[in-house]
Amino acid sequence: MTATTTDRAALTGAVGTAHTRVEGRDKVTGAARYAGEIPFTGLAHGWLVLSTVARGRISSVETAPVLAMPGVLTVLHHGNAPRLHLDYVGLLGVPPDPTAAVFQNDRVPHAGWPVALVVAETSEQAREAAEALVVTYEQEPHDIEFHGNRPEAYPVDGHMPGVTEKGDLEAGLAASAHVVDVEYTTPEEHHSMMEPHAATALWDGGRLEVVDSNQGTTWVADELARMFSLDPSAVRVRSEHIGGGFGSKGLRAHQVSAVMATTALRRPVRVVLTRRQMFSLTGYRSPTAQRIRLGADADGRLRALEHRSLSQTSTVWEFVEPSAGVARVMYDAPAHRTANEALRLNVPSPTWMRAPGEAPGAFALEAALDELAERCGVDPIELRLRNEPDRGPVSGMPFSGRNLDACFREGARRFGWADRDPRPGLRREGNLLIGTGTAAASFPAGAGPSTAAVTAEADGTFTVRIAAADIGTGARTALTLVAADALRVAPARIRMRIGDSDFGPAMIAGGSMGTRSWAWAITVAADELRERLAPGAGLPPEGIPPEGITVRSDTTAALGSLAQVERHSFGAQFAEVAVDVTTGEVRVRRLLGVFAAGRIVNPLTARGQLVGGMIWGISMALHEEGIRDRASGSHYGGDLAGYHIASHADVPLVEAYWVDDPDPDDPVGIKGIGEIGIVGVAAAVANAVWHATGVRHRTLPIRPDRVLTAGGPHV
């Protein structure tokens, strides 16, 4: 027996009610320990040494002086490190990133490439020795020059086709009353979570254990087992508390080097990355150069749409930022072409970063829609609603739900959009020009196969075990509420255990798929357990035995039988900005988002997720910019002093709301909220800056110098 989403809402009440984090007290009191804080007997410390050249070969690693330094235990490098197995395909069909496969040869493909690991008794000794290690190179010319006119660019099939097209694009543009043909650029952007990457590796009774900060313990365990040619059962990865991930906390150099070191020394070894090392070793969002061409009738209905996006990748591993993918969902036209292209350079490998593809892609597409609305003389919201597709523009499949119009109408009401004068550069308060802007947002609503175990304990409580990862999202609490409703008990009777690969395969925390995937598995197991506990179901006379009664689920078959439809969360973003005409400074004064993102499990943490994403959108629009030195190939400011992010002083009134939007095919009605908050914010801010100044900014971030250079009304 299974209950529908509506039935569950009527029978129970935990899901949908605000609930503080179940681990909140442990976190604020310090009882919750993170990967770099957990003590181990005999712990040694590793410190990575990174290349100082952007391309070349290692000539020598002078280990003897370092090995003589106090406390130094070993130095691992390409001359003595174990060989790794790399011929496999990992989770989500992705091959291993060779950046994680450290010390395999003498090649240096980019600045900041790992060339050695120094291991010592203390972290301070390891760092001092690592900084003293002399590595010489045969340096070769490098290329880090990224721009949209590089002829070497090529289309890339990532987790979506590289190119899609239908209709005659040039004919559609030629027949259009209004045409927009513009290029937008976004810079290199970096993950800056509070907790740096850290891992401790040790051998325990012939079994490798890794205590880590990651977004999926079974993911990391599987990669390590394959890379080191170990039986999967011989690897255990634990990651109970994570201080942020945002796409970067998969398998990286620090875990692999820690495993190498513990294998060599047969004692626990911890490797923690510095903030500066993270800029080279843990991935980032590639810069993009995006060309948008739109053709529309006199009333603003699209006849032609082209979205071409170029991103950079490394010479050792191909990764594409799929920014053109957003156009495959948002808007249709008889002539429709999208392309995701890549350019190989001597730079570190990019990776997934919150709202991969959608965040930079929405900036370009939604800013171009705003330009089209201006040319057509149509309100920006009305233009978007006129171009709402009935089916997926590329897939042709129906949408499981598409409540974008409800988001815009509710957002316009709350924001006071009807009172807006559409003419730019008119509203002024002293030295400040005031403007408002809007943009749409979308992000896929997927789910990955997962397993879960739910145990009815003899004391009347229930223990849930699932290899989920709470990267600060409140997933542990949300899953507690889901389990409580599925079992029809109070949340206080649920013990949620997560972050352990021994609990079995489960989806990673990424792609806005974590909570949906894990909740599905928990619901299936809990439903079966509840039936087994029902009166007359055949319990032993003494009731639940001391070891409890456990039911395990696997959602692989259920997900495989789902109907093929377009599943997405949607949103509408609204921004009000003030532009100082004397300094060029842009301040966001109000930010409002309204979302159609499935059933909201915990309004308290959900609002935090949405607001957090929106604040990151402000940071993306106005602050974040990774800049590389052409001569060295390294960052100018690879730390939080040189890489600017939004601070409290930059964050105004930020409001997040949602409309009713349960997914009818999900047992709980969940879609996903982790990424959707950031999507559309940069475009809404840029559109508001145009409304304030009358000048379009097509390059992020919108820095004061760019505002002053671009000009506008009295700027």
Side-chain angles (χ1 to χ4, degrees):
M1 177 184 71
T2 57
T4 65
T5 302
T6 303
D7 293 336
R8 289 186 191 283
L11 291 169
T12 59
V15 171
T17 60
H19 200 290
T20 57
R21 294 173 184 264
V22 296
E23 82 287 9
R25 180 179 293 274
D26 287 345
K27 284 185 173 176
V28 299
T29 60
R33 284 177 164 168
Y34 291 81
E37 302 174 319
I38 300 171
F40 290 90
T41 301
L43 180 65
H45 298 266
W47 201 278
L48 283 165
V49 179
L50 308 187
S51 69
T52 57
V53 302
R55 182 168 177 249
R57 290 184 179 275
I58 302 170
S59 299
S60 65
V61 182
E62 299 179 21
T63 60
V66 168
L67 289 170
M69 293 179 69
V72 174
L73 301 170
T74 189
V75 179
L76 296 174
H77 53 88
H78 73 279
N80 61 5
R83 300 301 95 184
L84 301 175
H85 173 61
L86 298 175
D87 186 19
Y88 68 89
V89 176
L91 187 70
L92 304 179
V94 177
D97 180 352
T99 301
V102 292
F103 318 141
Q104 295 302 289
N105 54 58
D106 63 356
R107 292 295 308 174
V108 174
H110 63 75
W113 177 263
V115 295
L117 178 79
V118 177
V119 186
E121 295 288 355
T122 70
S123 178
E124 293 79 9
Q125 290 170 333
R127 180 170 190 167
E128 183 180 5
E131 292 175 350
L133 182 67
V134 175
V135 181
T136 57
Y137 305 92
E138 295 177 11
Q139 192 167 353
E140 300 171 7
H142 63 266
D143 181 7
I144 65 165
E145 190 70 26
F146 177 83
H147 56 76
N149 297 319
R150 293 287 300 257
E152 309 95 317
Y154 60 97
V156 178
D157 295 333
H159 63 272
M160 61 177 67
V163 177
T164 66
E165 53 188 330
K166 66 179 180 181
D168 189 328
L169 186 71
E170 300 303 330
L173 291 168
S176 296
H178 302 285
V179 175
V180 170
D181 184 350
V182 286
E183 182 173 295
Y184 298 86
T185 62
T186 61
E188 186 175 310
E189 299 168 1
H190 285 262
H191 310 87
S192 298
M193 73 293 295
M194 287 189 291
E195 181 202 18
H197 297 61
T200 303
L202 64 150
W203 287 95
D204 184 8
R207 196 177 191 214
L208 175 66
E209 291 211 13
V210 177
V211 178
D212 188 23
S213 178
N214 63 57
Q215 294 178 231
T217 54
T218 53
W219 177 23
V220 174
D222 178 71
E223 294 262 359
L224 289 173
R226 293 172 184 266
M227 195 171 280
F228 285 89
S229 300
L230 300 171
D231 188 278
S233 64
V235 181
R236 183 189 187 190
V237 176
R238 291 183 287 141
S239 183
E240 186 176 1
H241 297 289
I242 306 121
F246 308 126
S248 75
K249 285 187 174 175
L251 187 71
R252 301 289 177 190
H254 63 292
Q255 298 117 317
V256 175
S257 60
V259 172
M260 287 181 172
T262 193
T263 302
L265 297 173
R266 289 293 162 170
R267 60 186 287 186
V269 176
R270 174 173 294 157
V271 180
V272 180
L273 299 185
T274 67
R275 185 69 59 179
R276 184 172 287 274
Q277 288 175 337
M278 287 168 56
F279 275 76
S280 298
L281 296 180
T282 63
Y284 58 95
R285 196 195 307 281
S286 167
T288 69
Q290 302 178 59
R291 186 184 183 189
I292 305 286
R293 294 201 289 172
L294 304 174
D297 291 337
D299 61 0
R301 288 183 170 83
L302 290 168
R303 296 177 63 97
L305 183 156
E306 181 183 38
H307 189 168
R308 173 184 174 267
S309 178
L310 174 66
S311 60
Q312 73 184 22
T313 190
S314 72
T315 60
V316 295
W317 192 57
E318 186 177 78
F319 183 91
V320 62
E321 180 78 16
S323 300
V326 68
R328 303 176 187 182
V329 175
M330 292 304 296
Y331 307 108
D332 201 359
H336 194 285
R337 184 180 190 277
T338 65
N340 289 311
E341 301 176 351
L343 176 67
R344 292 186 183 274
L345 297 172
N346 299 120
V347 295
S349 299
T351 193
W352 296 286
M353 186 165 163
R354 197 174 194 177
E358 275 75 11
F363 162 64
L365 183 62
E366 292 298 313
L369 259 290
D370 207 68
E371 296 199 39
L372 180 63
E374 179 196 357
R375 296 190 187 187
C376 295
V378 178
D379 179 82
I381 294 177
E382 178 59 30
L383 181 83
R384 288 168 172 81
L385 297 182
R386 287 182 189 180
N387 286 287
E388 272 287 273
D390 296 326
R391 306 176 76 83
V394 172
S395 71
M397 297 188 299
F399 289 94
S400 64
R402 186 178 170 110
N403 288 322
L404 181 59
D405 58 343
C407 295
F408 267 119
R409 298 190 194 284
E410 177 64 11
R413 182 187 70 80
R414 290 180 177 272
F415 195 74
W417 187 262
D419 299 328
R420 176 184 190 260
D421 187 328
R423 295 172 295 172
L426 297 181
R427 186 176 164 193
R428 190 174 186 125
E429 297 176 5
N431 287 335
L432 302 178
L433 293 170
I434 312 301
T436 54
T438 190
S442 71
F443 198 82
S450 298
T451 61
V454 182
T455 301
E457 308 288 1
D459 63 0
T461 63
F462 297 86
T463 302
V464 178
R465 294 175 177 86
I466 186 167
D470 190 334
I471 58 175
T473 57
R476 184 187 273 102
T477 306
L479 297 178
T480 297
L481 303 184
V482 168
D485 274 13
L487 292 165
R488 300 178 189 171
V489 300
R493 292 175 62 186
I494 305 296
R495 283 197 294 265
M496 185 63 56
R497 296 189 59 194
I498 65 173
D500 190 330
S501 63
D502 275 359
F503 295 160
M507 181 60 192
I508 64 170
S512 288
M513 293 189 284
T515 299
R516 181 179 181 181
S517 303
W518 307 322
W520 198 316
I522 289 170
T523 298
V524 171
D527 281 348
E528 183 180 339
L529 179 61
R530 194 183 67 251
E531 291 181 7
R532 289 180 59 177
L533 298 177
L539 282 175
E542 65 275 12
I544 297 174
E547 68 274 14
I549 297 175
T550 299
V551 170
R552 188 169 184 83
S553 65
D554 185 338
T555 61
T556 303
L559 293 175
S561 64
L562 281 176
Q564 295 298 303
V565 297
E566 290 267 7
R567 290 185 173 85
H568 303 270
S569 294
F570 293 94
Q573 304 277 17
F574 296 80
E576 178 184 297
V577 304
V579 182
D580 192 314
V581 299
T582 59
T583 66
E585 182 181 15
V586 178
R587 288 278 185 177
V588 177
R589 304 211 301 191
R590 283 193 297 152
L591 193 60
L592 166 71
V594 179
F595 304 95
R599 190 175 180 204
I600 302 302
V601 177
N602 184 359
L604 185 63
T605 53
R607 182 168 279 106
Q609 275 294 289
L610 295 171
V611 168
M614 293 166 69
I615 292 171
W616 199 344
I618 296 173
S619 198
M620 177 182 179
L622 303 180
H623 302 288
E624 296 191 45
E625 185 175 24
I627 301 175
R628 292 184 180 274
D629 173 35
R630 292 183 181 180
S632 68
S634 300
H635 284 103
Y636 276 115
D639 50 44
L640 293 184
Y643 182 81
H644 295 169
I645 60 176
S647 67
H648 283 292
D650 300 303
V651 177
L653 174 65
V654 181
E655 299 177 279
Y657 302 94
W658 46 83
V659 299
D660 189 44
D661 183 52
D663 186 331
D665 295 325
D666 183 88
V668 187
I670 298 170
K671 283 187 177 178
I673 61 171
E675 331 266 346
I676 189 70
I678 190 175
V679 181
V681 174
V685 172
N687 293 339
V689 171
W690 166 81
H691 187 234
T693 65
V695 176
R696 294 284 179 187
H697 287 268
R698 302 187 182 103
T699 295
L700 295 183
I702 306 174
R703 301 188 317 237
D705 63 308
R706 288 172 174 164
V707 174
L708 292 174
T709 302
H714 311 295
V715 175

